[in-house]
Amino acid sequence: MCKILVLLLFSFCFFIVTNAIVCRDGFTLINNNKCIAFLPPYFDPGYSNSEYRCNWLGGNVVSIRTAIDNTAIAKLAINKGYLDKIWIGLKCWEDNNPDNCIWADQQGNASSYNNFQPGNPQTNNGSCVYMIPATGKWVSGDCDNVRFTVACETDIIGACTHKFGDYCYHPIVGGTNHDEALNICEQLCGGSLVSIHSPEENEYIRGYFIDPKITRIYIGAKMSNAATNYWSDDTDWDFVNFNHSNINDGLCYTMSTNDGKWNSINCGRSLPSICKWKASSSCQATCTGPKYREETGLITLLTSELSYNQYRGIPPCYYVLHVPNGLAAIWFNSLQLDPNSSIELYSGTSENSTLLANITQENQNDYYKSLTSSSQFIKLVSNQCNDNCDVTNDYSWSALFGPNYGASCGEVLYTRGVITSQNYPNNYPNNYNCTYYIQNPGGYFITIYFDHFETEENHDFVNVYDQKSGTLQYSFSGNCTQYLFGSEKSMRIEFTTDGRNTFSGWSAHIDLV
Ligand SMILES: *[C@@H]1O[C@H](CO)[C@@H](O)[C@H](O)[C@H]1NC(C)=O
Ligand SMILES: *[C@@H]1O[C@H](CO)[C@@H](O)[C@H](O)[C@H]1NC(C)=O
Ligand SMILES: *[C@@H]1O[C@H](CO)[C@@H](O)[C@H](O)[C@H]1NC(C)=O
Ligand SMILES: *[C@@H]1O[C@H](CO)[C@@H](O)[C@H](O)[C@H]1NC(C)=O
Ligand SMILES: *[C@@H]1O[C@H](CO)[C@@H](O)[C@H](O)[C@H]1NC(C)=O
Ligand SMILES: *[C@@H]1O[C@H](CO)[C@@H](O)[C@H](O)[C@H]1NC(C)=O
Ligand SMILES: *[C@@H]1O[C@H](CO)[C@@H](O)[C@H](O)[C@H]1NC(C)=O
Ligand SMILES: *[C@@H]1O[C@H](CO)[C@@H](O)[C@H](O)[C@H]1NC(C)=O
């Protein structure tokens, strides 16, 4: 009964919205053929900076091929309050000759339709072109030293932040195991881990991660137990680039970002990866709300996805996080908010849900800890700065979310998760004994990180045992904050308290590597 209720809620709240939206959040549909958004002037002057921002949003500076579109764009700009000059995606090389003006989408010149103000294009005044919203007229202007609003367009279905051929690509920068990565890709437009079909595509993917710390990533290649290679997205196995393929090293494959070669690896390792999906699939990509994430035990990495500067001018992004079993919990592992942004977290999806936290630059250091909702849901609203922003620094955030398993004793944790002492963050009971079991059959390490630890010293203990041998490995009491690295495949954590004095207890993140 409960499950049905949850599914109905899901359909009601999100499917309808998803189907109705043909433009990603922040973009407006005009004439049923273009999604348009205006991005206010960027800190760094120049057309190319604005173009870059449109590209980041999965689009381009707008190309205008009909009078109807031109009028609609001018009108929309006025409605949205953009009354000053607006860059359009046209560049010109010859005075008074629209034939020598090329559109940003690379598909032809402005001979068949243009709306230049008399005397333009005037290349002495610059090779870029801006529109004056009040008249809809186009005027030549400098590309480099000015800061104008820019009109971006994206396709009406889906949004690709990175496109190669007919496919969209999206990185999962935080490490996950192979199954989790597949799960995340599935949520991104029904995609899968990247399959690779040509040396060009291989190079495109290799060039994706500019972070030098990322030396290898999962790709969608996998070996069956019968030692046959296949792609997770079921496409043809028509291209290989192995350095090393050996079933004894595991059934999954990585690509080295150094030389693009593929190597066998155990699927339980935690690595970055890249998702891929058909550009024609109808879906919403980056920062198009509401983003619905449902977790059945895995913890997904959420990130601000774009760097802060690319987000300017975009309305709040929001996520609905759902944990079907247990209480939803979230853990920020990076928080660098700009002075004008905030992240609001609510204990549910309704407008009256309790505010769990309102994170800003001022208080962000207090939130490197888990926050647990009082329901199966967390609503996360990320409000970006839109105006008058600090653009001298780059800002971003990322978080994990998933079920909080701390609610009851005696449970086995098979995945990453959060466990806490009873009543946490309120005082734990006296004369209490609670045992948690952690199993990591596929991986190498179990990592425990206490983000809060306060028990009665030498009386109330957290004891960590190797489950197999039964040996006590660590024992904590008092005020501690600790990382533990255990090489065990299974662990037992016992919390025992005596009959006197109680404290706030502890909250621990368990990571399986
Ligand atoms: C401009 O485009 C038209 C067709 O749209 C084409 O006939 C013409 O050759 C093009 N001019 C230039 C200079 O490329
Ligand atoms: C070129 O720029 C100058 C100075 O801003 C302006 O006076 C002139 O009208 C512009 N030319 C055209 C054709 O718009
Ligand atoms: C190639 O495979 C060998 C093992 O066969 C490994 O030692 C080496 O690091 C691999 N090189 C790259 C670039 O992945
Ligand atoms: C939220 O609270 C207001 C005022 O108490 C109430 O009128 C409204 O129905 C509530 N909304 C929901 C979704 O519960
Ligand atoms: C969160 O904090 C920001 C910045 O102080 C504020 O503008 C916003 O209204 C707050 N949100 C809530 C729900 O209190
Ligand atoms: C953003 O923050 C700066 C201070 O860093 C402030 O001067 C500016 O007015 C803020 N902008 C908005 C839109 O609140
Ligand atoms: C706590 O409970 C476990 C399992 O029931 C038991 O093995 C252990 O001896 C108990 N510890 C204490 C200190 O009571
Ligand atoms: C832990 O440290 C805090 C602050 O120093 C102190 O108030 C508290 O009593 C300590 N708790 C224990 C159990 O020692």
Side-chain angles (χ1 to χ4, degrees), residues 129-422:
V129 176
Y130 58 85
M131 175 196 278
I132 300 166
T135 59
K137 291 289 179 195
W138 306 351
V139 179
S140 292
D142 184 10
C143 292
D144 300 321
N145 302 309
V146 289
R147 300 167 72 234
F148 293 157
T149 294
V150 62
C152 301
E153 70 174 304
T154 56
D155 293 345
I156 60 169
I157 36 174
C160 276
T161 48
H162 291 77
K163 201 172 169 187
F164 180 86
D166 294 332
Y167 289 88
C168 304
Y169 299 77
H170 189 86
I172 306 172
V173 178
T176 68
N177 70 34
H178 195 268
D179 278 352
E180 286 172 282
L182 281 172
N183 191 34
I184 295 169
C185 292
E186 171 71 32
Q187 293 176 47
L188 287 170
C189 303
S192 190
L193 270 176
V194 70
S195 62
I196 304 174
H197 300 283
S198 67
E200 292 77 20
E201 190 175 18
N202 203 65
E203 272 307 283
Y204 177 77
I205 288 152
R206 188 177 77 80
Y208 214 114
F209 287 100
I210 49 174
D211 183 344
K213 290 195 294 291
I214 296 178
T215 55
R216 54 187 179 164
I217 59 166
Y218 275 125
I219 55 176
K222 234 183 141 174
M223 194 188 288
S224 71
N225 289 319
T228 311
N229 291 310
Y230 65 95
W231 291 112
S232 301
D233 64 4
D234 289 331
T235 50
D236 290 345
W237 184 260
D238 51 5
F239 171 74
V240 290
N241 199 28
F242 290 128
N243 167 54
H244 173 80
S245 165
N246 185 334
I247 198 165
N248 295 327
D249 290 341
L251 299 177
C252 289
Y253 287 103
T254 59
M255 173 196 283
S256 154
T257 57
N258 183 36
D259 61 5
K261 294 283 185 189
W262 308 348
N263 287 291
S264 299
I265 195 166
N266 180 314
C267 303
R269 296 298 294 272
S270 182
L271 292 173
S273 48
I274 291 190
C275 302
K276 172 179 175 180
W277 66 91
K278 273 209 167 71
S280 56
S281 60
S282 174
C283 69
Q284 302 173 60
T286 315
C287 188
T288 53
K291 264 189 155 171
Y292 179 83
R293 297 285 175 87
E294 181 180 31
E295 290 300 355
T296 51
L298 301 174
I299 294 202
T300 300
L301 185 81
L302 295 171
T303 67
S304 50
E305 283 165 340
L306 302 181
S307 83
Y308 153 79
N309 277 331
Q310 271 93 39
Y311 262 145
R312 289 185 56 201
I314 304 299
C317 298
Y318 72 96
Y319 299 84
V320 171
L321 312 178
H322 178 204
V323 172
N325 301 302
L327 303 177
I330 188 162
W331 174 31
F332 286 90
N333 46 21
S334 123
L335 271 166
Q336 279 122 31
L337 302 183
D338 68 88
N340 305 108
S341 294
S342 64
I343 295 176
E344 293 163 12
L345 296 168
Y346 297 88
S347 267
T349 54
S350 102
E351 55 179 321
N352 295 341
S353 298
T354 322
L355 185 69
L356 261 179
N358 189 5
I359 309 174
T360 60
Q361 190 187 55
E362 277 175 13
N363 66 17
Q364 64 190 4
N365 289 337
D366 300 339
Y367 287 100
Y368 283 90
K369 64 178 181 188
S370 63
L371 294 160
T372 302
S373 171
S374 55
S375 79
Q376 295 176 332
F377 291 96
I378 289 178
K379 182 170 75 175
L380 184 158
V381 183
S382 168
N383 300 291
Q384 286 84 224
C385 177
N386 278 328
D387 199 13
N388 225 344
C389 310
D390 169 13
V391 290
T392 53
N393 297 297
D394 209 7
Y395 297 99
S396 65
W397 57 268
S398 68
L400 302 166
F401 86 93
N404 185 330
Y405 281 95
S408 59
C409 295
E411 281 197 354
V412 184
L413 196 62
Y414 288 101
T415 66
R416 295 188 209 163
V418 178
I419 60 174
T420 65
S421 53
Q422 201 183 13

Side-chain angles (χ1 to χ4, degrees), residues 96 117-122 124-126 130 138-140:
N96 292 312
Q117 187 149 288
N120 288 281
Q122 174 64 259
N124 282 343
N125 282 6
Y130 58 85
W138 306 351
V139 179
S140 292

Side-chain angles (χ1 to χ4, degrees), residues 428 453-457 477-480 503:
Y428 53 78
F453 194 102
E454 186 191 18
T455 68
E456 188 187 2
E457 194 156 5
S477 69
N479 263 323
C480 334
F503 291 89

